[in-house]
Amino acid sequence: MPELLAHARTLCAAPLRASVARLVAPMDTVAAYHFGWIDRDGTAVQGDSGKAVRPALALLSARAVGAPAEVGVPGGVSVELVHNFSLLHDDLMDGDETRRHRATAWTVFGPAQAILVGDALATLGTEVLLDAAVTGGASATDAARAVRLITTATRKLIDGQAQDLSFEHRDVVTVEECLEMEGNKTGALLAAASAIGAVLAGADDRTSDALQRYGHHLGLAFQAVDDLLGIWGATEVTGKPHWGDLRQRKKSLPVAAALAEGSAASRRLAEELADPKGRGEESEPQLAARAALIEEAGGRSWTQDEARRQHKTALAALDEVPMADTVREHFVALAEFVVVRER
């Protein structure tokens, strides 16, 4: 896995930086800081630019249909740009002050710049796909199909974020609603990443659909693990605020599952979440006690099981796509990485 992700970062690094370089100042600086390429003073650093799961999937999907990994590079860059557009906006909307072990872009450069740069990255995500037709990396038809894939995923991603924000103001959210939200917010872009390289290579709709199903269920597994880390993950490992999801009273999968359980712990959790007093100002002991209630009500174990269920469903979708054994093994390794990660 480290080699696979590193290979994706290597192939996509230069075109990703070239895309960001199109932005006018100071947006180029803000984006470079967010990606971990520079510090707040503009000095080049070897920062944490993320796991590169989405670019790796884009390159693998090209290889799945017999094309070189390089054919999927515009897709890998596109999904990485769109993903980071969402991170810039999410950090601001959630009020998160740290990401990847350092201050978030909006706290350093201000909310306005974070919004503008996020918008710019989303636009660049479409532009690099259209460029693929101009430079000869893909036919005009396949580039257009890839654009439709990424724009549809972006719209669903935004739908998911809107649902997530609305859930914070509701006392109860069902597990089904939570899965729908997470399928939009996380599953849609991973579905696009898992097929976009194949689409650029000219894959038919049947192949694209199967790869998208793999990515969609992988996204649900990924988000289930993310929800667990959002409550029980160690800040020094995840780089995210301790108890961040609990402080915001997010109705993530562990919370929704715990609320649906109906036990005494479930009822006490529901009462706490419905109490408007101290919202967002809970102490560390209070948040720890809330996490314990979620675990007692079965929310933690149910979400762990759900991550495994979604992982199994994702792998089943690969059976519909003939591909080289080495490529299939990489898809399987990526899926395994998603469900056992600690950050």
Side-chain angles (χ1 to χ4, degrees):
M1 274 309 306
E3 291 81 6
L4 181 63
L5 297 177
H7 181 60
R9 275 193 292 267
T10 298
L11 285 182
C12 293
L16 180 60
R17 285 176 181 257
S19 296
V20 170
R22 299 179 187 183
L23 303 180
V24 299
M27 289 196 298
D28 56 346
T29 298
V30 178
Y33 172 84
H34 169 75
F35 277 107
W37 304 335
I38 60 173
D39 63 18
R40 64 174 67 204
D41 299 319
T43 303
V45 296
Q46 294 295 321
D48 180 0
S49 297
K51 293 176 281 292
V53 168
R54 293 162 188 83
L57 285 168
L59 304 191
L60 270 182
S61 71
R63 293 177 58 201
V65 295
E70 287 76 6
V71 172
V73 166
V77 173
S78 178
V79 294
E80 193 70 351
L81 288 166
V82 171
H83 173 55
N84 281 278
F85 134 71
S86 73
L87 297 183
L88 280 161
H89 284 196
D90 287 3
D91 284 343
L92 177 56
M93 284 184 273
D94 293 343
D96 287 344
E97 297 183 354
T98 58
R99 176 175 291 281
R100 299 168 183 158
H101 306 284
R102 63 181 192 159
T104 47
W106 75 268
T107 65
V108 176
F109 300 98
Q113 285 297 329
I115 293 169
L116 285 172
V117 173
D119 292 345
L121 294 185
T123 304
L124 284 173
T126 300
E127 194 173 341
V128 297
L129 293 175
L130 295 174
D131 287 347
V134 176
T135 60
S139 71
T141 298
D142 292 331
R145 292 171 65 213
V147 167
R148 175 172 288 278
L149 189 62
I150 200 68
T151 52
T152 300
T154 304
R155 191 243 318 149
K156 289 182 177 180
L157 184 158
I158 295 169
D159 287 347
Q161 175 65 359
Q163 291 170 308
D164 195 16
L165 290 174
S166 71
F167 290 174
E168 293 178 25
H169 303 286
R170 289 173 49 183
D171 292 341
V172 176
V173 171
T174 67
V175 169
E176 292 73 21
E177 287 175 314
C178 192
L179 287 170
E180 179 188 357
M181 177 272 289
E182 296 190 345
N184 285 330
K185 185 173 178 178
T186 305
L189 191 57
L190 276 168
S194 299
I196 198 164
V199 168
L200 288 168
D204 58 29
D205 289 343
R206 183 177 178 278
T207 299
S208 171
D209 290 347
L211 291 172
Q212 285 184 67
R213 284 198 302 279
Y214 163 85
H216 174 78
H217 291 287
L218 182 65
L220 287 171
F222 185 100
Q223 189 58 53
V225 174
D226 219 48
D227 287 351
L228 291 166
L229 294 176
I231 298 176
W232 293 283
T235 300
E236 60 272 18
V237 178
T238 65
K240 298 177 182 179
H242 194 46
W243 306 124
D245 285 1
L246 290 183
R247 201 178 301 278
Q248 293 163 21
R249 302 196 185 188
K250 280 186 176 291
K251 305 304 187 300
S252 59
L253 269 181
V255 176
L259 290 173
E261 200 264 342
S263 64
S266 179
R267 290 190 293 272
R268 284 171 56 201
L269 176 65
E271 290 170 2
E272 281 198 19
L273 294 176
D275 187 354
K277 293 189 296 182
R279 181 183 289 269
E281 299 177 358
E282 293 93 339
S283 66
E284 291 283 311
Q286 286 175 310
L287 295 173
R290 188 169 298 167
L293 279 178
I294 295 169
E295 185 160 9
E296 183 181 345
R300 186 174 189 173
S301 60
W302 186 92
T303 304
Q304 290 169 333
D305 290 342
E306 180 64 11
R308 287 188 283 269
R309 284 192 292 270
Q310 296 294 344
H311 169 263
K312 183 178 180 180
T313 305
L315 294 184
L318 294 177
D319 294 338
E320 301 177 35
V321 183
M323 65 181 80
D325 289 343
T326 54
V327 177
R328 189 179 304 277
E329 288 166 5
H330 286 152
F331 273 117
V332 172
L334 266 172
E336 185 68 20
F337 170 75
V338 161
V339 297
V340 301
R341 65 195 173 93
E342 295 182 351
R343 69 182 184 96

